[in-house]
Amino acid sequence: MEIKFEEYIEKRIEFYENLKNVHIDESKYSSKIHLENSTFKDINNDFRYFFERRNQKERLTAKENKEFKEKLIFNFPNFKEIANCKNPTIYWFKIQHLEKSNNRKLLEKFIKVRNPKKGWWSKPTKDLENITEYLYLGKVEKNLFDRFIQHLGLGHNMTSALKLCKWIDKMDFVDLEFQFLELDPKEVRYLEDIENVLWRKFNPLIGAEPRIK
């Protein structure tokens, strides 16, 4: 069977020509949401019961899940901006006090705590000498808050995430900053490509490198 690629190539060219019209700069970024080291200690204390339920692999009712999210926002009002984001989004965690922290120790701690037998975790990079300021960069098509909760470690164990509350509070001097880029719904088709560009610009410490199409 003869296979011709002309039509496919034309569509890809059209796709990337349209991508050129998508303009992104820092003015479109969200506020910088500070996650101090003590924040993770507070979450562990305030939501101890919820963590226990998760560890027992119990499913929460819709009412319990709603009440949990409301309490999380009440306790940490700066999370409300994340909860209000419903569109396709690129998000990242940035490492604060880089001059005091040690990325090698940070990555080694994550690798040590990470236990694939007890759940899915984000994939660590192999570069222990990476001096990047960025811990992780990812994307989500909708409901950023749900993904953020998973990265805190409050999601289902069988969801790949950073699970920050399980380890980051034990690292001295490490505070984080969370920020995101909310796209227009019609730009969802470019979500993977935008992630690809930003991932290579930020070079995060944790997370699998996106595929180049």
Side-chain angles (χ1 to χ4, degrees), residues 24-200:
I24 293 173
D25 58 40
E26 292 189 14
S27 67
K28 295 187 177 182
Y29 293 176
S30 72
S31 301
K32 295 178 179 179
I33 299 166
H34 297 287
L35 303 170
E36 297 180 358
N37 197 271
S38 59
T39 301
F40 301 102
K41 291 182 173 68
D42 291 340
I43 291 174
N44 279 322
N45 290 328
D46 295 346
F47 296 92
R48 187 179 305 277
Y49 171 72
F50 185 82
F51 277 113
E52 290 174 354
R53 292 280 301 275
R54 281 300 193 197
N55 289 335
Q56 295 167 6
K57 298 181 180 179
E58 292 186 27
R59 295 188 68 86
L60 300 180
T61 65
K63 180 181 178 182
E64 286 176 319
N65 199 41
K66 181 175 181 292
E67 290 175 348
F68 154 70
K69 290 180 180 179
E70 289 174 349
K71 182 180 178 181
L72 190 61
I73 294 172
F74 179 81
N75 288 13
F76 305 94
N78 58 341
F79 290 178
K80 188 172 183 180
E81 184 176 1
I82 305 172
N84 289 337
C85 178
K86 306 297 183 183
N87 293 319
T89 308
I90 306 291
Y91 62 90
W92 53 90
F93 291 88
K94 188 175 181 180
I95 304 166
Q96 300 297 291
H97 314 306
L98 193 64
E99 72 282 358
K100 295 180 181 179
S101 68
N102 182 308
N103 279 5
R104 171 183 276 273
K105 290 183 179 179
L106 190 61
L107 190 55
E108 287 176 340
K109 180 67 174 178
F110 177 74
I111 293 171
K112 183 177 180 180
V113 173
R114 183 179 184 264
N115 187 348
K117 293 181 179 179
K118 293 185 178 181
W120 295 352
W121 293 68
S122 299
K123 183 179 179 181
T125 60
K126 297 180 181 179
D127 184 4
L128 292 174
E129 303 303 328
N130 189 349
I131 58 172
T132 178
E133 292 183 291
Y134 294 89
L135 181 69
Y136 183 91
L137 180 141
K139 67 178 184 303
V140 64
E141 291 190 5
K142 59 181 180 180
N143 295 332
L144 174 63
F145 196 44
D146 286 347
R147 186 64 178 135
F148 177 73
I149 288 171
Q150 291 166 0
H151 281 305
L152 291 179
L154 290 157
H156 194 284
N157 278 338
M158 303 313 288
T159 302
S160 179
L162 293 170
K163 306 185 194 302
L164 292 165
C165 287
K166 296 182 183 292
W167 64 281
I168 197 75
D169 62 318
K170 302 182 178 58
M171 300 294 298
D172 293 335
F173 303 117
V174 179
D175 296 339
L176 300 179
E177 181 181 274
F178 183 80
Q179 199 171 16
F180 61 90
L181 166 66
E182 185 174 8
L183 303 176
D184 188 281
K186 65 184 179 183
E187 294 174 339
V188 66
R189 62 193 299 229
Y190 305 121
L191 186 63
E192 186 174 345
D193 297 274
I194 296 171
E195 179 198 29
N196 217 323
V197 172
L198 287 177
W199 197 96
R200 284 164 175 76

Side-chain angles (χ1 to χ4, degrees), residues 5-22 189-190 193 213:
F5 295 96
E6 286 84 353
E7 183 178 353
Y8 174 80
I9 292 172
E10 287 176 3
K11 288 182 178 180
R12 297 313 298 169
I13 291 174
E14 181 182 5
F15 175 88
Y16 286 112
E17 285 295 335
N18 291 333
L19 179 57
K20 289 180 180 179
N21 298 322
V22 178
R189 62 193 299 229
Y190 305 121
D193 297 274
K213 294 181 179 179

